[in-house]
Amino acid sequence: MQKEDNHGELWDRVILPNGMIGYVFQSYLREVPNRQIEAINVSSDKTLLKKGETIKLKVEILPDEAKDHEIEYISSNPKVATVDSIGNVMAIKSGTTTITVKAKENNVKGEIQIKVITPVTGIELTNQNIVMQVGDQFTIKPIITPVDADNKNVIYSSKDEQIAKIDIKGNITAIKEGNTKITVMAEDGALKKEIDIIVVKKLNQGEVKFDESLNIMQNEITGWDIENLNVENIIEKIETLYNIEIYDYKGNELKEGEKVGTGSKIRLVDENNNIKMEYYIIIYGDVNGDGKINSLDLLVLQRHILEIQRLNGTFLKARKYKQKRKESFLIRFTNNTKTYINFKNNRTIEVYWVI
């Protein structure tokens, strides 16, 4: 009720909420102060967040008369999770933080603990399919992203261990001819990838011989002369009883005179078109597969470093390159500690791609 100013000694004139006017004895009338916040209850639909996830806190203020009073939000560890002025929590990195909701008018507060995890979001494999000879071994080395994932362990399995088996370290052993799949699964169960395995009969000595200038590591070949690398140059460096087919990284068969780049495949086939073996071409520095090393490769590397578009397969291995080259452009690229660009002048650069 509203108390009206009255100079009487014993009675006060009052106006009731319904508009009626009355009088009360002074000993029964007192001012009711505004009620302050007495309790704050904080809750959320979830308290376990993935890195980058955002949630809004639910806040209950008691008593109801104080629900419009001012409060503030505080994160005990903003490097793990931040909170804004209306209770939106954003997960930044793995860890634990306490979000406190505090009344500005007194020391009443409520708290909630938030845990942030960083799950695996990507498994990058250098090979999507592998042709192996019986008895051969091949080691797969998956790259797990992001780099700060909490658990980067993976679990390997073979669909048919009688054809090819794999151990806990990623070593594949070809047992007998046939096809199977190798599964690489993140230990946290967030993601998995598969590799197609084709096991062929072991080639006898003399069935295939490569030029001594080439380096053969399992089914990958390096050591190519980038300046003169086309279909004819490759065929000249291989002695074999079988037909040689060369495909680009998109799977298109290349003809005489066509340029060969990283990711291209050398396939040996018999007269019945049966695959006898496959080899992948790696040209260090050529990370886009066009058979050249120029500014386009730098742009591809930049996208890889910034995680806009990650390299994989043989392109991931081709990223290591060290050579002085002259280019007709001025590059302004990156300060990333793994990529070094030394400017000699406006036309000449010294590029070190060590990623």
Side-chain angles (χ1 to χ4, degrees):
M1 79 181 78
Q2 178 181 346
K3 177 181 175 182
E4 191 174 88
D5 187 20
N6 192 328
H7 297 288
E9 295 180 359
L10 298 176
W11 295 88
D12 282 323
R13 184 171 179 268
V14 296
I15 300 176
L16 300 177
N18 60 7
M20 293 182 64
I21 298 175
Y23 294 86
V24 296
F25 194 67
Q26 288 179 354
S27 61
Y28 295 103
L29 187 66
R30 63 185 178 85
E31 294 280 358
V32 179
N34 290 331
R35 296 189 65 176
Q36 292 192 340
I37 296 175
E38 298 174 3
I40 299 176
N41 298 321
V42 187
S43 63
S44 173
D45 291 335
K46 59 196 312 187
T47 56
L48 180 63
L49 306 181
K50 296 178 181 179
K51 178 183 175 181
E53 190 174 2
T54 300
I55 59 166
K56 185 174 178 62
L57 297 176
K58 297 178 181 179
V59 178
E60 180 187 24
I61 296 176
L62 299 174
D64 193 58
E65 295 95 312
K67 66 180 181 180
D68 293 328
H69 292 199
E70 290 187 339
I71 56 176
E72 60 181 337
Y73 297 85
I74 304 166
S75 172
S76 65
N77 193 345
K79 291 183 179 180
V80 171
T82 60
V83 61
D84 64 17
S85 60
I86 58 174
N88 293 311
V89 178
M90 175 175 282
I92 305 299
K93 72 172 187 177
S94 297
T96 302
T97 186
T98 299
I99 304 297
T100 301
V101 184
K102 181 181 178 298
K104 287 189 176 182
E105 62 193 23
N106 54 33
N107 291 322
V108 175
K109 64 183 179 181
E111 295 180 341
I112 187 171
Q113 192 173 75
I114 298 293
K115 183 178 181 180
V116 178
I117 60 173
T118 304
V120 173
T121 58
I123 299 176
E124 298 175 5
L125 300 170
T126 55
N127 300 82
Q128 302 301 319
N129 53 76
I130 303 171
V131 177
M132 302 177 65
Q133 300 177 63
V134 172
D136 282 357
Q137 285 196 332
F138 188 90
T139 303
I140 56 176
K141 298 179 180 180
I143 297 176
I144 305 301
T145 55
V147 294
D148 59 346
D150 295 329
N151 184 355
K152 294 194 283 188
N153 295 329
V154 295
I155 300 171
Y156 301 104
S157 62
S158 172
K159 186 176 181 180
D160 190 340
E161 292 192 342
Q162 293 184 344
I163 293 175
K165 63 182 181 179
I166 186 168
D167 63 20
I168 60 174
K169 294 183 178 180
N171 300 310
I172 304 171
T173 302
I175 307 299
K176 71 175 185 178
E177 295 178 63
N179 297 0
T180 187
K181 290 181 181 292
I182 296 294
T183 299
V184 183
M185 184 175 70
E187 194 173 64
D188 65 9
L191 198 64
K192 69 178 181 180
K193 288 285 185 72
E194 288 185 337
I195 305 174
D196 292 318
I197 303 294
I198 301 174
V199 179
V200 297
K201 182 181 177 181
K202 185 78 172 180
L203 292 175
N204 295 319
Q205 188 175 5
E207 287 186 85
V208 61
K209 182 180 179 181
F210 293 95
D211 190 270
E212 293 182 355
S213 64
L214 301 177
N215 302 311
I216 295 88
M217 180 63 69
Q218 296 177 328
N219 67 343
E220 296 170 344
I221 305 177
T222 61
W224 304 100
D225 180 5
I226 185 65
E227 300 298 332
N228 300 294
L229 191 59
N230 55 31
V231 171
E232 296 95 310
N233 299 139
I234 289 178
I235 293 175
E236 288 174 0
K237 292 182 179 292
I238 304 173
E239 295 180 16
T240 180
L241 303 174
Y242 303 108
N243 297 322
I244 300 175
E245 298 175 350
I246 301 176
Y247 298 83
D248 65 15
Y249 71 92
K250 295 180 180 179
N252 302 312
E253 186 171 3
L254 298 176
K255 306 300 181 183
E256 287 187 12
E258 291 189 283
K259 195 79 173 172
V260 179
T262 292
S264 295
K265 183 189 303 180
I266 300 171
R267 178 179 291 172
L268 306 182
V269 297
D270 63 18
E271 64 276 7
N272 297 317
N273 211 35
N274 296 315
I275 297 176
K276 306 304 293 184
M277 190 55 189
E278 283 185 349
Y279 301 90
Y280 288 92
I281 293 172
I282 297 176
I283 303 169
Y284 292 123
D286 173 30
V287 294
N288 67 346
D290 64 358
K292 304 173 184 177
I293 302 175
N294 53 28
S295 59
L296 294 178
D297 297 293
L298 280 176
L299 294 175
V300 172
L301 279 171
Q302 182 185 35
R303 293 174 66 83
H304 171 77
I305 292 168
L306 298 176
E307 298 188 358
I308 297 173
Q309 185 174 0
R310 301 283 296 185
L311 293 169
N312 56 37
T314 52
F315 302 104
L316 192 63
K317 292 187 176 182
R319 73 196 189 280
K320 295 183 179 180
Y321 175 67
K322 183 176 180 180
Q323 183 175 340
K324 296 182 181 180
R325 298 182 62 83
K326 291 186 177 181
E327 304 290 349
S328 59
F329 54 85
L330 178 64
I331 297 177
R332 301 189 185 282
F333 177 39
T334 177
N335 290 324
N336 186 282
T337 56
K338 295 180 181 179
T339 303
Y340 309 94
I341 299 180
N342 299 327
F343 293 92
K344 299 301 182 183
N345 51 53
N346 283 350
R347 294 180 60 85
T348 305
I349 59 172
E350 187 175 20
V351 183
Y352 298 86
W353 303 349
V354 184
I355 303 174

